[in-house]
Structure formats: C-alpha cells, structure tokens
Amino acid sequence: MSAGNVVALAGGVGGAKLALGLALALPPERLTVVVNVGDDFEHHGLYICPDLDTVMYTLAGLADPVKGWGIAGDTNAALQMLGRYGAETWFALGDQDLATHLVRTSALRAGARLTEVVGRMCRALGVAPRVLPVTDDRVATMVDTVGEGALSFQEYFVRRRWEPVVAGLRYEGAAAAALTPEVSAALDAAALVVFCPSNPVLSIDPMLAVDGLRARLAGVQARRVAVSPIVGGAALKGPAAKLMAEMGMEVSPVGVAAHYKDLLDGFVLDVRDAGLEPRVRALGMATLVTDTVMNARADRRRLAETILDWSKTL
Ligand code: FO1
C-alpha cells in the first residue's frame, strides 16, 4: 500500500463534485476516480457513458454548472435536426457532447478498451487524475417498475423522469463483468477509498455488483469512508430519496450507512443530520459531521480536505 493514494467511487453529478474536490486537494498521481458504467447505453448508434462523461467534464472544468451533466454553453442544433427527421430527441445530446460520443464509439468499434478510450479523452481535455470505468465489460442497470415493466436506466431516468414506482433494480452483466487491471491495481495501492455522495442503489451498487469489487472492498487494506447523498431526509439531486423509500430503505444517512455496513470504516453525514450520528456509530463505523453540501468549487475542496484529514485518524 503506497502512502496516501485515494480511490474515489463515483456515479453522476454528486460523485463528480466530490471527485473535483479531491482533485483540487490532492496531487493528481494520488487520485483515481472509479466510475459507474451501469447508466451507459446505445442511442442513435452511439455509445454513451453519462457518468464517465460527467466526471470527465467536471474535472476538465467543462461541465454545465446548472445541470451538472453535459458541457457548459453547449448548443442543440444536432438535436433539433434529429427532431426534423422524426428521430428520438428525449435524450438531450449537445453538439459538443456529440463529439465525445463519436470519438468513443469509433474507438470502441476499432477494438479499444473503454479504459483506454477514457484515458485518451481525459488526457486530451487536460484531466490529470486517473478516471477509470469500473469495468470494460457491459453492465446495464435495469429498473423493474410497478405498472410499466422493466425499463432501461435512461428510459426510467430521463425519458420517464424517474416517475414510475420502482419494484427492483437489476445490474445486467455485472456478475460476469470483470474489474479492470487498472482498477484492481488502484485498489491495491490505495490508502483510502471514498464512496462519493452518489445514489447508493443507482450509482454505487452497480459498481459493487461487478464481480470481485464488493469482496475486494470488504478485504482491502485501505480505510473506507462514504459520504451521505441524503441530507435532511432528501436527496441533494435526483431520485435517491424517492427510490430508497420505494425500495424499503430508511431515507436518511442511517439508511445509507446501513446499506454499506460491512464495507465502511467511516461515514460522513451533514451537520443538518447531526442528531443521527449515534445511530450511524451504532452500526460500527466512525463518523464525521460536517457541511457536505457542495455548491461552490471552494465547498468541494473544503469537504475533500476535511475528509482527507479525518481519514488519517481512522
Ligand atoms: N439527464 C437528463 O435528465 N436529461 C437529458 O436529456 C440528459 C442527457 C444527457 C446527455 C449526455 C450525458 O452525458 C448525460 C445526460 N443526462 C441527461 C444525464 C444522465 O443521463 C444522468 O444524470 C445520469 O445517467 C445519472 O447519473
């Protein structure tokens, strides 16, 4: 275990924010961001990796600050043209963003691994920390709904605006998917693994379901900490609270901590939830109560630095 390396597990927008904080707080060679691929899908013949792109654009300083995904200032001329052809427009592909999907799709078709493609794109955009898909194999999060049957993740999330009630989730392909050698090596070298404040069941669980990752995290030498994506009984963004309730989980930091129970040494909860700290401690993990809401860039760095300092005490 080399001193001080950090692996961050990240899904979409919330995960990318803390990944940026860690990137601001650490020398790049000490940070590896491992990203969910369960949201990936093919659309208009293109291979789209929303969480990888959200992390990459955020670390490159390109992300749309309001939506959190896509590129700031992007235009939608191609989408409008798709509409004129009667093609599907429910998934908003921006003009600049389309270039990312074109380059990635052609590289994958030429036989490159997703890990290599993401690495090349990150270098081109000046992203210094390593950004790694958790696997080069295909994993597809499927959402079993009440009344609308099984929906692919983006149909549920974007097309149906996470309105259907969820009966269950499946991570198709995950059990047969392999951790990449790069992810495996990053875990071997890590002193700290940070579960970013991403949706536990939509963003983190598809990664944990990849063959070997859960067991690796259970036995890893590194300290392991998670940051709650639930603050004051609500999700900061997206469907985490709605989904946790539908899946019978307690919608609170306690519910999140209990979900990761055997995988964590420490748990970070927001000051607004300070009263729940004893219940998290009772799950057998150390706690840090701090302001976890990351609106500005400075908030991201401050939260990352606070977590890094605290983790040395674990
Ligand atoms: N999210 C939306 O809510 N609506 C969209 O039209 C949409 C388009 C989109 C295009 C590229 C991309 O990389 C992400 C995009 N997202 C969109 C976000 C994304 O689908 C979700 O935020 C994640 O999959 C959840 O982590």
Side-chain angles (χ1 to χ4, degrees), residues 16 62 75 79 81 84 116 123 158 169 180 207 217 228 248 253:
L62 293 174
T75 48
L79 198 72
M81 197 64 184
R84 287 185 68 181
E116 294 162 358
R123 276 191 293 282
V158 175
L169 294 165
T180 66
M207 290 197 269
L217 288 171
S228 179

Side-chain angles (χ1 to χ4, degrees), residues 202-213:
L202 287 182
S203 298
I204 303 290
D205 279 1
M207 290 197 269
L208 298 179
V210 169
D211 188 37
L213 184 56

Side-chain angles (χ1 to χ4, degrees), residues 13-55:
V13 176
K17 285 183 178 180
L18 185 57
L20 176 60
L22 290 164
L24 294 170
L26 289 166
E29 64 279 6
R30 283 183 51 200
L31 177 62
T32 302
V33 188
V34 176
V35 183
N36 173 42
V37 296
D39 299 8
D40 298 5
F41 75 129
E42 280 188 42
H43 195 55
H44 297 304
L46 299 174
Y47 196 65
I48 297 172
C49 304
D51 285 354
L52 279 163
D53 290 349
T54 297
V55 170

Side-chain angles (χ1 to χ4, degrees), residues 11-13 39 48-51 53-54 57 69-70 90-93 97 101 153-154 157-158 203:
V13 176
D39 299 8
I48 297 172
C49 304
D51 285 354
D53 290 349
T54 297
Y57 293 154
W69 51 267
W90 55 269
F91 195 76
L93 295 169
D97 186 39
H101 311 310
F153 178 82
Q154 298 297 344
F157 193 93
V158 175
S203 298

Side-chain angles (χ1 to χ4, degrees), residues 110-172:
R113 296 162 58 216
L114 183 58
T115 300
E116 294 162 358
V117 180
V118 172
R120 274 184 236 158
M121 293 178 126
C122 282
R123 276 191 293 282
L125 297 182
V127 173
R130 289 234 289 177
V131 177
L132 299 174
V134 63
T135 178
D136 286 323
D137 300 321
R138 300 269 169 120
V139 176
T141 298
M142 295 297 297
V143 184
D144 291 320
T145 68
V146 176
E148 297 183 33
L151 299 176
S152 69
F153 178 82
Q154 298 297 344
E155 282 177 327
Y156 160 77
F157 193 93
V158 175
R159 190 176 206 166
R160 293 289 297 112
R161 298 168 195 276
W162 39 280
E163 282 166 12
V165 173
V166 174
L169 294 165
R170 288 175 285 124
Y171 313 112
E172 278 184 5

Side-chain angles (χ1 to χ4, degrees), residues 34 54 67 100-101 105 108 122 135 137 143-144 149 152 164-165 174 194-195 201 221 242 251 290 292 308 311:
V34 176
T54 297
K67 294 182 301 192
T100 302
H101 311 310
T105 305
L108 291 172
C122 282
T135 178
D137 300 321
V143 184
D144 291 320
S152 69
V165 173
V194 180
F195 291 52
V201 288
Q221 284 190 57
K242 175 177 183 280
V251 185
T290 188
T292 63
L308 292 170
S311 69

